[in-house]
Amino acid sequence: MSATADPRHVAIIMDGNGRWAKARGLPRVMGHREGVKALKRTVEAAPRFGIECLTVFGFSTENWSRPAAEVSELMGLVRNYLSSDLDRMEREGVRLRVLGRREGLPEDVKAIITRAEARTAHNRQFLLQVAFNYGGRADIVAAARRYAEKLASGDVTAQLDEAEFAQGLSSAGAPDVDLIIRTSGEQRLSNFLLWEAAYAEFVFQDTLWPDYGEAALGEAVDTFRRRERRFGGVEARDVMAAG
Ligand code: IPE
Ligand code: IPE
Ligand code: MG
């Protein structure tokens, strides 16, 4: 079997904050706070595994259905993370991008996102994408709308193809997703990166997100490296081999 290279782009569904807190008799918000620490550890560890781009799921379009106090805590955490971690991102050459819809977010969160993206836009060492108020279906619909607008303004003449369509997704320009990790034992996409997941490998880990860090990421990358990726083709050495 051919050895698979390092994953360039890893995407993580950070799940299990609530269960982590419940197991300790703590309120769910404590799990989310610990989850931010796990995120910082994981972002720091990622380049050590050859990862160039990390996309994390922070808040889904479906997460608005949670109790208002929890939603408000999650808004507070993103506010804090995108302000307090900017210096480190700057130092380490991290470019930050937020995927998803801006509409519906509190005005100050929108402003913080715009500022953080602008301040790190020139960084080239590492791309960190935070999916926040993100849903894969909504993102695909937004891309379709953008294409229709371009078409109406006479901006595009060529026939629509995959590359042109993908320009309208909020992840446009990022490398293809190689590996999708979901923590906490759940095995579903929950509307994450529907288009981008087309040829990603999936690794499901039982670790609850607040316990995540370099060791768990290393295990996921090792599992990925043992996978054989065929992209619909056949291994070169199997082409001539008899049955
Ligand atoms: C993931 O943890 C974080 C977000 C969805 C924001 P959960 O809050 O989903 O934790 P569980 O699944 O209830 O344990
Ligand atoms: C997906 O997790 C969203 C994020 C990790 C931000 P959920 O915990 O919200 O997903 P479900 O409800 O288990 O599908
Ligand atoms: Mg969950």
Side-chain angles (χ1 to χ4, degrees):
M1 193 184 6
S2 63
T4 301
D6 287 334
R8 281 183 76 197
H9 185 169
V10 174
I12 309 182
I13 302 170
M14 310 182 289
D15 201 10
N17 293 351
R19 279 161 283 169
W20 183 94
K22 193 172 176 206
R24 286 163 180 75
L26 296 168
R28 290 177 57 87
V29 298
M30 295 304 288
H32 296 314
R33 288 183 198 164
E34 284 300 311
V36 174
K37 294 184 195 162
L39 173 60
K40 290 183 181 175
R41 287 194 296 271
T42 306
V43 172
E44 223 179 286
R48 293 179 209 142
F49 300 104
I51 298 166
E52 297 165 28
C53 173
L54 185 70
T55 302
V56 294
F57 205 1
F59 191 87
S60 74
T61 46
E62 290 73 33
N63 287 149
W64 292 107
S65 65
R66 295 190 178 198
E70 181 166 344
V71 169
S72 147
E73 173 72 18
L74 291 166
M75 294 299 148
L77 287 175
V78 80
R79 222 177 249 130
N80 215 334
Y81 177 64
L82 296 183
S83 321
S84 72
D85 229 29
L86 268 190
D87 286 341
R88 194 192 56 78
M89 290 184 200
E90 192 56 20
R91 238 185 359 259
E92 293 172 13
V94 177
R95 176 176 164 218
L96 176 96
R97 193 140 85 127
V98 177
L99 309 185
R101 293 168 69 131
R102 296 295 149 87
E103 307 91 83
L105 291 175
E107 287 306 319
D108 68 320
V109 170
K110 282 195 228 172
I112 286 170
I113 291 173
T114 305
R115 195 186 63 200
E117 286 187 333
R119 231 190 102 189
T120 62
H122 58 280
N123 291 340
R124 289 289 173 270
Q125 287 283 100
F126 191 84
L127 176 62
L128 172 63
Q129 304 192 112
V130 178
F132 200 83
N133 195 20
Y134 175 90
R137 287 183 171 180
D139 212 58
I140 290 170
V141 170
R145 281 215 187 94
R146 281 187 197 115
Y147 183 77
E149 281 162 17
K150 271 193 191 174
L151 204 58
S153 68
D155 226 18
V156 273
T157 46
Q159 238 190 323
L160 180 59
D161 60 13
E162 291 184 9
E164 171 65 42
F165 185 80
Q167 286 302 314
L169 297 169
S170 59
S171 66
D176 280 342
V177 178
D178 297 302
L179 168 62
I180 293 184
I181 297 169
R182 185 167 187 151
T183 61
S184 85
E186 307 294 350
Q187 303 192 357
R188 56 179 168 267
L189 265 180
S190 300
N191 203 11
F192 190 43
L193 302 180
L194 297 183
W195 172 284
E196 296 85 342
Y199 257 106
E201 295 292 326
F202 287 77
V203 171
F204 300 106
Q205 293 176 288
D206 288 335
T207 313
L208 299 174
W209 179 251
D211 292 324
Y212 213 79
E214 181 166 14
L217 181 63
E219 281 166 27
V221 170
D222 279 346
T223 304
F224 171 86
R225 287 193 185 119
R226 289 195 296 273
R227 298 273 173 87
E228 189 187 341
R229 302 182 82 190
R230 288 191 292 268
F231 299 100
V234 287
E235 280 280 277
R237 51 154 202 187
D238 291 337
V239 174
M240 302 301 287

